[in-house]
Every structure is written in structure tokens, then in C-alpha cells.
Amino acid sequence: MALAHSYSSVKDFEGCPRRYHEVRILKKFKSQDTAATLYGTAVHKAFEDYIRDGTPLPEQFKMFELFVAPLRQIKGDVLCEQKMAIRADFTPCDFFDKDVWFRGVPDFLAISKTKARVADYKTGKSARFADPDQLELMAAMIMAHYPQVQVVSGILLFVVAAKVVKAEYKRSDLPTIWSKWAGRASMIESAVEHGAWGAKPSPLCRFCPVTNEACEHR
């Protein structure tokens, strides 16, 4: 079974293989929108319109302008919600190609000669568990799609928590990055091969869309 991976799908699997199998492969259950996810979607759309089209932020998001206004000042080719994908040999491909291996959609991307800047917006109330691995994967995909780029500077922009997590990656880091993500993807592919979808109970189980008929921990 060929799978297309992403940062979120890998994190889902590592969080609980049972949930990943039931939701992403069998598609027996679907994660439901919550007030938090709907709020995040609205913020992302407002930021996209603000940066791409210069549309003023809605009144309820005006307090976030100091975080996103600097992005509008960045020079270069600016792209919002740019769909990117790569094959298993680390070459770029179209987002929906049959042989796609990893997909990613950076919220903000600016390409200027040999440097790129990437940002992902976060609306969680805390940056305590910020994961720069998302920036790492995005940086590698950007360098795959833009061979002239030698350095990618990235930020996780926690607008509600008023925190910024920064990271920088060089083209020389690519072998290490791809080896790491190939290993994480291979864990999922091994689970598919062996049908090993053990549950990983945690306090987050109460938010899981999988019912107790499919999981003994619900």
C-alpha cells in the first residue's frame, strides 16, 4: 500500500498507531471540528488575505497584526499556502502525483535568490510543546523545489501565546534531514506491512474520534 506522508500524518501515527489506522487508512472515523480548530482556520485565512492581497485583518484579529506585518515587508517571491510534494527519491513532484511520498503546505514562503523564509502560524494558547521538526521538513521540501536556495530560515509563529520559535537549515543539512524523515516514514510503512496498529493510550484519548467499539481505551 503506497502512502503519502506529511508532518501531521507522521505525528498522528507516532501519537497513536490505532487512531492513525482507523482515521487515515480505514477512514472509519473523522476528526470533528472544534471551536479551537475553527478559530485556527479563520486566523490562517485572515493572515493569507492580509499578506497576499493586503486585505485588512478583521477586527477580532487586529491584535495579531504586529506578528504578521513584518512578513509583508519581506522581499522576494512571496507565496501563501503553497502546495509542495516530493517523491521517495527526494525529487520534487506535483501535489497529487501518484508517486508522491511527502506533502507539505507552508503558510508563508518567500524566496529571495539563495535564501528562503518560511513561517507556520499557530493559534494554540501555549508554545510549550513547539516542534521545530515541522520547519525542518518544510525547509528540506523547499530546497528540493528551489535548487538555488541554500539557506532556509523558519519560524513557528504562536500569535495567541505571543511566542516565536526560530530555526535555520542549510543545504548541507539535507542528507541528515531526509534520513531522519525516511526513518519516521518507514515506521508507518512497516505497520502497514505487518498490520501492527497498537493503541497508545494517553490523556488525549478523550479527544479521539475513534469509538470504544474500535478501541478498548475509549
Side-chain angles (χ1 to χ4, degrees):
M1 178 182 182
L3 291 176
H5 306 292
S6 66
Y7 168 79
S8 61
S9 70
V10 169
K11 291 291 288 184
D12 278 354
F13 174 81
E14 293 172 347
C16 181
R18 177 76 58 78
R19 181 184 63 224
Y20 176 96
H21 185 235
E22 294 286 339
V23 174
R24 290 185 177 265
I25 293 184
L26 298 182
K27 302 185 186 302
K28 289 171 58 178
F29 303 95
K30 184 177 180 180
S31 296
Q32 300 297 314
D33 283 327
T34 65
T37 60
L38 291 172
Y39 182 79
T41 299
V43 169
H44 276 68
K45 184 62 169 66
F47 287 2
E48 178 184 358
D49 294 343
Y50 174 80
I51 291 171
R52 186 192 59 206
D53 305 321
T55 303
L57 291 175
E59 193 61 36
Q60 67 266 36
F61 302 141
K62 282 285 188 182
M63 68 283 203
F64 300 144
E65 190 163 9
L66 75 164
F67 293 104
V68 291
L71 297 180
R72 290 186 63 188
Q73 307 306 314
I74 294 176
K75 304 299 183 183
D77 295 326
V78 174
L79 303 164
C80 296
E81 304 295 330
Q82 177 73 2
K83 292 182 171 64
M84 296 189 298
I86 60 164
R87 304 180 183 91
D89 63 359
F90 314 126
T91 57
C93 64
D94 288 337
F95 201 74
F96 295 108
D97 278 356
K98 291 183 178 180
D99 57 348
V100 64
W101 182 53
F102 262 97
R103 293 188 177 113
V105 184
D107 293 334
F108 170 90
L109 173 62
I111 307 292
S112 180
K113 298 182 179 179
T114 61
K115 186 165 185 176
R117 292 176 173 85
V118 64
D120 195 86
Y121 315 133
K122 303 295 183 184
T123 53
K125 295 180 179 179
S126 171
R128 180 181 177 187
F129 301 108
D131 184 6
D133 280 0
Q134 182 176 8
L135 295 175
E136 176 187 80
L137 180 60
M138 281 290 100
M141 297 183 74
I142 290 165
M143 286 187 274
H145 279 263
Y146 300 91
Q148 78 275 21
V149 170
Q150 301 300 312
V151 179
V152 178
S153 296
I155 57 172
L156 298 176
L157 201 54
F158 287 83
V159 295
V160 174
K163 297 289 184 181
V164 178
V165 176
K166 300 180 180 180
E168 185 171 276
Y169 305 94
K170 299 179 176 62
R171 186 164 289 274
S172 58
D173 298 326
L174 282 178
T176 299
I177 295 173
W178 286 136
S179 176
K180 172 181 174 178
W181 285 93
R184 294 174 81 168
S186 71
M187 297 296 291
I188 302 176
E189 290 151 12
S190 177
V192 171
E193 179 181 356
H194 300 289
W197 303 106
K200 189 182 289 186
S202 78
L204 297 177
C205 285
R206 67 182 186 273
F207 303 112
C208 182
V210 179
T211 67
N212 56 10
E213 296 176 359
C215 182
E216 65 275 19
H217 300 289
R218 288 287 286 129

